[in-house]
Amino acid sequence: MAEPTFAKHARLVIIGGGIVGCSAAYHLAKLGWRDVVVVDKGDMPYNDGSTSHAPGSLHITNFSRMMTRFAVYSTQLYAQLPEHEVGRPPFRPVGGLEVAYTKERMTDLYRKQSTAGGYGVETHLLTPEETQEKLPLLDPKVILGSYYVPGDANVIGWHVAASLANEAKRIGDVQFIPYTPVLDINVQQGQITGVVTDKGTIQCDEALLCANIWAPAISRKAGLNIPLLAAQHQYTVTTPLPELAHYAQDKENREIVHPIMRHQDFSLYFRQHWDSYGVGNYRHVPLMVRPQDLGRTAMLPFTPEHYEVADSAAKELLPPLKQTTLTTKFNGMFAFSVDGYPVMGESQVKGFWAATGVWITHAGGVGKSIAEWMTHGEPEWDLHEADINRFLPHQKTQLYIDLRCAQNYREVYDIIHPVQPINEPRNVRLTPFHARLVELGGEFFQSAGYEVAQWYNANATLLSRYDGQIPLRDEWSSRFWSPIQGAEHLEVRNNVGLFNIAALAVIEVSGPGAVEFLERMAANRIDRPVGKVVYTSLLTPNGGIKADLTIVRKEADCFWVLTGGGLLPHDIAWLRRHAPSDGTVQIVDLSSTFTPLGLWGPNARKVLQKVTAADLSNDAFPYYTMQEIEIGAIPVTALRISYAGELGWELYTQAEFALSLWDTLWAAGREVNLIAAGAGAFDSLRLEKGYRLWGQDIHTDYTPDEAGIGWAVNLKKGDFVGRAALLERRAQGIQRKLCCLVLEPDGLALGKEAVYTKDGDCIGYVTSANYSYSTGRPIAYAYLPVDQSHIGAALAIDYFGRRFAATVVEEPVYDAGMEKIKR
């Protein structure tokens, strides 16, 4: 690419000219952006990053709906791009295979097919012989079957980038400047003002970081920390195979005709190169490279000692490879974030955006989404999994980054259970009463960095009491599960449980402008008397559910905004971004200051009344109110609310009192045999009560009306973010709604399974599922088209290839009249 005139000012500077930067430039140009400059430290479009060396295989199925959307859109986009090199199409729609070497993998392909169907992706499960028909080099005796996706494809990454860049220049006169390293980021008063390069400074209003493995080093120049690392993985190309000789002289220049393929049991992938074959290898120890140790390119010398297992497995699966040697071999680097998702959105530095940690498979969809986000203030699709503001402080420490990025590399092709806890680092955040939970035999998972027990082995004695009420599960659904969870659930319904809810976050919003600010942000009315608790959503301008939380009026000008601990960075960033800049509103994170406990069950009032002089009667302390009380010698903020769906309180005290609070309540509960109840019971309790979980049941894809929480929207209070869109969508009428389904008695679902009509049409997927121990039925929630959402609608849920009958029922299935929670 010829070097253009250096720009001294731009509306937007995109840092990184690989496929992600080019995709963003293209989509921004389509949305009307002008005065955009793209800089890269190397050449363009054949750049220093993975765009230029990646094999280009696009497997579109992912258990994340967001990632699947990115991939599906990317294939559609790449397919319509003009050729960069005449006679060599950049997009090759060859389909894709994933073969099963083990019984466990074959079983998991049924799970993958169900999820893909729920996301609208066409898939087929093939026998070994049918797989060989797709890829004749394969030995069918080695595998048990395969998963075939017609929509999978292969691309020439840098050709796609070039075509996107050419279109961006044609549509929006975007300027691309190669060989221009970024040396610094200028920030003044929290706002980006310029990008410093070796050719000079480009003054700009905004910047978009698309530098992938180099992104953390560049972000630090703006005072930010993007938690991702480069990981080496190996790629090789064989000498020509006689079986493919005809492709070497193919007049149609068909570089790849065979389907792309994954051999995930050995962490391998394959693609054809005319008459040769390419093999990608992840089956070696993580070879991570920190940002400060990166060189100019994303390619490193091949390390043969890491290829031995791959070589043997590849030749077993594709026997013709036994007669070949390797002509091309290198270690290429790709970006791995701490949770495996891209890092996108506007950072804490105003005007400094990111779209990084992205592979070619998803680059088209990421470019589309970041362009919409920058233009309209929100993207079309829910992107909470990719939001740059999702990371807690401990997740940005170097040790955490090193450990989690390496583990994500190890697990790139592993079978991961949906509730599988991380292995390390652990014991990062501990409650003051953690030792008590250990003594009770807690089986710990991690929530927002905290060690939270899924169940307590001390409660195994309850199993005989509830014999026959807790059905056993199959092998998959019983992983990371215990029947003790069911016993804890039932004991909370019948008696009382003490819950560790320390992972909840407390955001204090105060100041003379606090009421007006929260009224503008929240969909429900916030201006209520001191002591009132309000359940509400925060909406996007388009009416989607940006946050689902509780707001407590502590004082006239002081409120607590309560949210999930893992959602704290996301929610507080949203509030701060919209807060007035005149100092009338202060937003402070108090989450580490206060430690809450939950006390719920029919005997909750009896236990709590033993240790407080406060009047806890329903008249004196009604549902959805707050009072400052004393429990023994401990000052406590008590909220009469319940995510468990039973009588009880959330009890907040400062962290130094938390151990004493636990001990005081525990001693008070001995008379009624109070139990400690874990997070597993908490989830089944909330689901049978119909309570939504943000990120699963509700997020920005859905409005409150679609989610069944329109009752918590107050349109009469005046304007608020999303109100106009909500009114417009109400006038149009909803097309889908969140429904509760009861499965047949032995039915199973864990989440993300496809939902089918009786005629076999896929109409959605499960958002949450569990067993309703109180009613003795397995239940699930799913968004259904309105014409399939009526009570009694007969549907089916696909669980590992088995269709379980499911019926739409009134929700919630437990205590629909709220008698128990308000007693």
Side-chain angles (χ1 to χ4, degrees), residues 578-585:
H578 291 84
S581 58
D582 59 5
T584 59
V585 174

Side-chain angles (χ1 to χ4, degrees), residues 14 48 100 142 178 209 273 458 535-536 562 572 598 703 705 745:
I14 297 177
D48 294 335
V142 172
L209 181 59
H273 290 272
Y535 170 68
T536 187
L562 308 176
I572 201 169
T703 68
D705 294 335

Side-chain angles (χ1 to χ4, degrees), residues 236-551:
T236 65
V237 181
T238 69
T239 52
L241 287 80
E243 294 86 349
L244 301 179
H246 54 290
Y247 289 113
Q249 282 78 42
D250 184 26
K251 294 181 180 179
E252 297 180 33
N253 197 23
R254 293 180 296 175
E255 177 185 354
I256 174 170
V257 176
H258 289 179
I260 59 176
M261 181 173 63
R262 285 172 169 170
H263 187 14
Q264 292 172 300
D265 290 307
F266 284 92
S267 305
L268 299 175
Y269 64 88
F270 302 82
R271 58 150 294 190
Q272 178 189 359
H273 290 272
W274 286 288
D275 57 349
S276 300
Y277 242 76
V279 181
N281 173 38
Y282 289 97
R283 181 54 68 91
H284 56 74
V285 296
L287 302 171
M288 314 305 292
V289 184
R290 289 185 175 182
Q292 63 269 25
D293 299 325
L294 291 168
R296 184 183 64 84
T297 75
M299 297 177 68
L300 292 173
F302 186 69
T303 50
E305 67 272 21
H306 296 124
Y307 196 70
E308 294 174 359
V309 174
D311 186 59
S312 176
K315 290 174 179 177
E316 180 188 26
L317 183 64
L318 303 180
L321 298 187
K322 296 176 181 178
Q323 311 306 318
T324 66
T325 58
L326 303 178
T327 60
T328 299
K329 45 190 176 180
F330 61 89
N331 287 14
M333 288 187 283
F334 296 81
F336 281 80
S337 69
V338 293
D339 59 6
Y341 293 119
V343 181
M344 299 174 62
E346 188 176 16
S347 72
Q348 297 167 13
V349 175
K350 189 175 181 181
F352 190 74
W353 295 74
T356 193
V358 183
W359 294 6
I360 287 175
T361 303
H362 310 105
V366 167
K368 167 188 181 293
S369 295
I370 199 67
E372 293 168 345
W373 206 341
M374 297 176 71
T375 304
H376 306 307
E378 61 177 311
E380 177 186 0
W381 304 321
D382 173 65
L383 302 187
H384 76 271
E385 291 169 315
D387 196 315
I388 193 173
N389 294 301
R390 69 186 184 270
F391 303 110
L392 290 157
H394 72 278
Q395 294 175 305
K396 294 187 281 187
T397 62
Q398 192 60 58
L399 178 64
Y400 192 93
I401 294 170
D402 289 344
L403 292 174
R404 293 312 306 154
C405 292
Q407 188 64 18
N408 282 328
Y409 174 87
R410 291 187 192 95
E411 295 176 347
V412 67
Y413 283 164
D414 283 2
I415 297 170
I416 305 297
H417 194 277
V419 296
Q420 183 171 325
I422 69 170
N423 60 341
E424 58 178 356
R426 296 298 296 268
N427 294 317
V428 176
R429 303 179 77 185
L430 300 174
T431 66
F433 44 81
H434 181 71
R436 301 291 190 266
L437 312 184
V438 173
E439 291 168 3
L440 291 167
E443 292 288 342
F444 294 100
F445 288 28
Q446 201 174 81
S447 176
Y450 276 104
E451 295 297 318
V452 176
Q454 195 76 349
W455 67 88
Y456 296 93
N457 288 308
N459 292 325
T461 56
L462 296 172
L463 291 173
S464 59
R465 181 179 306 171
Y466 297 111
D467 185 41
Q469 299 180 57
I470 306 168
L472 296 178
R473 297 186 173 194
D474 70 351
E475 191 277 332
W476 177 258
S477 62
S478 63
R479 294 185 190 181
F480 312 108
W481 174 85
S482 168
I484 295 172
Q485 294 175 213
E488 291 175 354
H489 175 122
L490 291 166
E491 187 68 3
V492 170
R493 290 282 186 242
N494 294 318
N495 184 16
V496 60
L498 185 58
F499 290 78
N500 167 23
I501 54 173
L504 289 179
V506 180
I507 304 169
E508 184 178 83
V509 179
S510 62
V515 176
E516 181 182 355
F517 170 63
L518 289 174
E519 285 286 21
R520 179 167 58 88
M521 296 300 297
N524 209 341
R525 181 179 295 281
I526 305 303
D527 190 6
R528 304 189 194 215
V530 171
K532 186 62 179 173
V533 178
V534 178
Y535 170 68
T536 187
S537 299
L538 308 185
L539 305 182
T540 68
N542 197 41
I545 303 170
K546 184 69 174 181
D548 176 69
L549 34 79
T550 302
I551 297 180

